[in-house]
Structures are given as C-alpha cells and as structure tokens.
Amino acid sequence: MNLAEVLQEQPSLKNLTAAARHGVPRKFADELAEALDISLRDLAPLLHASERNLRRYQPEQLLPADVSDRALNIARVFERALDVLDTPERAVQWLKKPNRALGEAPLALLATTFGAEQVLAILGRIEHGVFS
C-alpha cells in the first residue's frame, strides 16, 4: 500500500487494519512526510520512532506494525483534511497552524489515536460550518 492508494481509494477500516498489521513499506513514511511538507526527522516522533531507525529500513522494507498503524492513521487524517479543505496546500497549512480549539497545531496531535480523533472532530465541525 502506498500513500496514493490511501488518499485516492479511501480504503475501508478493515483494509487499513490489515495493512497496519502487515506493515507498510518505509517509502510510505517518505511519501507521507513529503505530502505533509515535513522532513522524515519531523515525522519520526509522530510515528514514535527515531529518524535513524526509520532510515535503516530499505524503501520496500516493511515497517513494524505499531509504526505502520500510526503512519496509516496520520494518512487517514490527512486524507480527511484534503476532503474538507479541498487542496493539499490548504490541508497542510491547516495541519501545521496552531488551532485555538485544539490548543496547538493539529499535526502535533497526530502522534496518538486520541489526538487524531480530536483533529477529525474539528475537521467535521469545519465541514459543517461550525467555527473551529
């Protein structure tokens, strides 16, 4: 599974769960960092991994299940931001900018499932026209 598949096909939670268990290739993390306009160094803490450890993997080598799960979760939130905010540029800008409702930049919250759920809730409010 690559980032384009996650963003274009909107796979089911069942497929995402299977992908997380199986592991995503390291190049998925590279693609995710590029899509978010951040470095692998900045993405690594969100994945609960060190940049050094991530770089040890070959591009096609599968990441551990826990790292893959977090990468897919971040991709899922990014996909939702794209859906709500229409363009990659606006989605990235929104994710990086501090948000009053969240108390910090949405991207910073994506290191945990609970933080990601908070970000998704705010995106839902934005989609329905509620000031957030």
Side-chain angles (χ1 to χ4, degrees):
M1 177 172 283
N2 64 33
L3 185 60
E5 291 172 343
V6 171
L7 298 180
Q8 292 177 357
E9 293 180 13
Q10 298 180 347
S12 68
L13 288 177
K14 183 178 180 180
N15 290 344
L16 289 173
T17 300
R21 285 181 178 161
H22 177 68
V24 296
R26 204 296 298 277
K27 70 178 180 178
F28 185 92
D30 295 332
E31 293 169 358
L32 185 58
E34 185 177 333
L36 294 170
D37 193 31
I38 60 176
S39 66
L40 193 59
R41 172 179 282 161
D42 292 333
L43 179 63
L46 299 176
L47 300 177
H48 296 228
S50 70
E51 177 190 12
R52 184 176 174 193
N53 229 11
L54 288 175
R55 292 202 185 277
R56 287 183 182 160
Y57 287 86
Q58 296 299 314
E60 297 299 327
Q61 193 174 359
L62 299 180
L63 296 173
D66 60 329
V67 175
S68 296
D69 180 63
R70 282 187 279 280
L72 287 165
N73 196 36
I74 292 168
R76 182 175 66 109
V77 173
F78 180 61
E79 185 275 325
R80 184 75 174 113
L82 282 171
D83 187 44
V84 172
L85 301 169
D86 296 324
T87 68
E89 296 79 17
R90 289 180 66 194
V92 167
Q93 181 182 16
W94 184 82
L95 286 167
K96 289 181 169 182
K97 184 179 176 185
N99 182 292
R100 276 196 333 199
L102 295 170
E104 59 188 304
L107 188 62
L109 292 171
L110 299 184
T112 68
T113 302
F114 299 114
E117 292 303 319
Q118 289 177 20
V119 173
L120 289 170
I122 295 296
L123 286 167
R125 290 176 61 185
I126 292 168
E127 183 177 43
H128 290 96
V130 177
F131 179 73
S132 295

